[in-house]
Amino acid sequence: MHGYGPMPQQPTTPRSSPATLTTVRVILVALTVLSCGLLGWAPMLRLAIVTRRPRDWFLLVVVLALNIGLFAFIMATPDDPDQMSDAAALFMMLWILGLLAGVITYYLYAEIRHYNALGAPAPYATPVHPAPPLPYQQQHLAPHQQPQQPQPQQHQQPNPYTAPTTPPTPTPAPRRLDQVRAELDELSDYLRKDKDSRDGEGR
C-alpha cells in the first residue's frame, strides 16, 4: 500500500530489437511450413510465453492436439499413394493447409500486435506531480514543528587578562580662555578701585 505522492513506476518488459524479432518469426514460420504443420506448436508456444495470456495457452493446446492427430492420420495411411483414396488425400491436404494458415496468421498477428502495444506511448500521458499534503497531515505535522525561539543576547564578559583602558586625558584649555579670565580679573580690580575711591569721597 502506497501513501500519497507519485506512484512508483512499473518495470517495463525489455523489448528485443526489430531485427531479432523478424529473424525469430521467419525461422518459426519456415519450420511450420517445412514440417507440413507438424511443428505448428512451436510458434504458438513462443506466443504463449511472450504474451502470457490464457487464450494463447489454450490455443497452444488445441494446435498441439491437431498436430498429434495429423501425425496419427499420416501414420495410418498406406505407404503407397495409389492405395490412398481421394477423400483421404483431400482431407489430409485440407487439414495441413488449414493448420498452416491458422497458425501462421494468428501467430504473426498476435505477436506483432503485442510488441506494438508495448512500444506505443500511453495516451494523454501527463507528468506525475506529488500531491499536496492534506489538512489532517498538516495537523499531525504541526505539533512536531516547534517555533524557533529567539536566543537571548550574550553579554560580553570582560577579559581579566587584558589591561584596562585609561580614559583620555583632557586637553588644556586654549589661550583665549586664559585671556578672557585675565580680562575679567582686571575688570574686577578696576571696579573694586572705583568703589573704594567713591567711598573715600563720601566720607
Side-chain angles (χ1 to χ4, degrees), residues 1-167:
M1 182 176 181
H2 302 284
Y4 294 94
M7 298 297 295
Q9 296 181 357
Q10 299 293 335
T12 57
T13 305
R15 183 178 180 181
S16 304
S17 62
T20 303
L21 294 176
T22 303
T23 303
V24 172
R25 291 166 188 166
V26 170
I27 292 175
L28 291 177
V29 171
L31 287 177
T32 304
V33 173
L34 294 177
S35 63
C36 296
L38 293 176
L39 294 179
W41 56 269
M44 297 302 299
L45 177 62
R46 169 179 166 76
L47 181 63
I49 293 175
V50 169
T51 60
R52 300 179 182 179
R53 290 185 298 184
R55 182 181 63 182
D56 294 333
W57 287 104
F58 173 75
L59 292 177
L60 170 63
V61 175
V62 172
V63 172
L64 188 60
L66 291 175
N67 290 149
I68 295 174
L70 178 60
F71 180 76
F73 182 79
I74 293 174
M75 295 299 295
T77 56
D79 296 336
D80 190 359
D82 295 336
Q83 297 179 1
M84 184 184 299
S85 62
D86 296 337
L90 180 61
F91 180 75
M92 184 176 65
M93 185 63 63
L94 292 177
W95 193 337
I96 293 174
L97 292 178
L99 187 60
L100 289 175
V103 169
I104 294 174
T105 303
Y106 181 77
Y107 164 68
L108 294 177
Y109 166 77
E111 184 171 337
I112 293 174
R113 182 180 180 183
H114 172 72
Y115 279 105
N116 288 340
L118 289 180
Y124 305 104
T126 56
V128 180
H129 299 282
L134 296 180
Y136 77 91
Q137 290 182 341
Q138 296 179 355
Q139 294 177 2
H140 287 291
L141 293 177
H144 299 285
Q145 297 178 354
Q146 299 294 338
Q148 296 182 357
Q149 298 181 357
Q151 298 181 357
Q153 297 181 355
Q154 298 180 357
H155 297 284
Q156 186 176 3
Q157 299 295 334
N159 191 355
Y161 298 99
T162 59
T165 58
T166 57

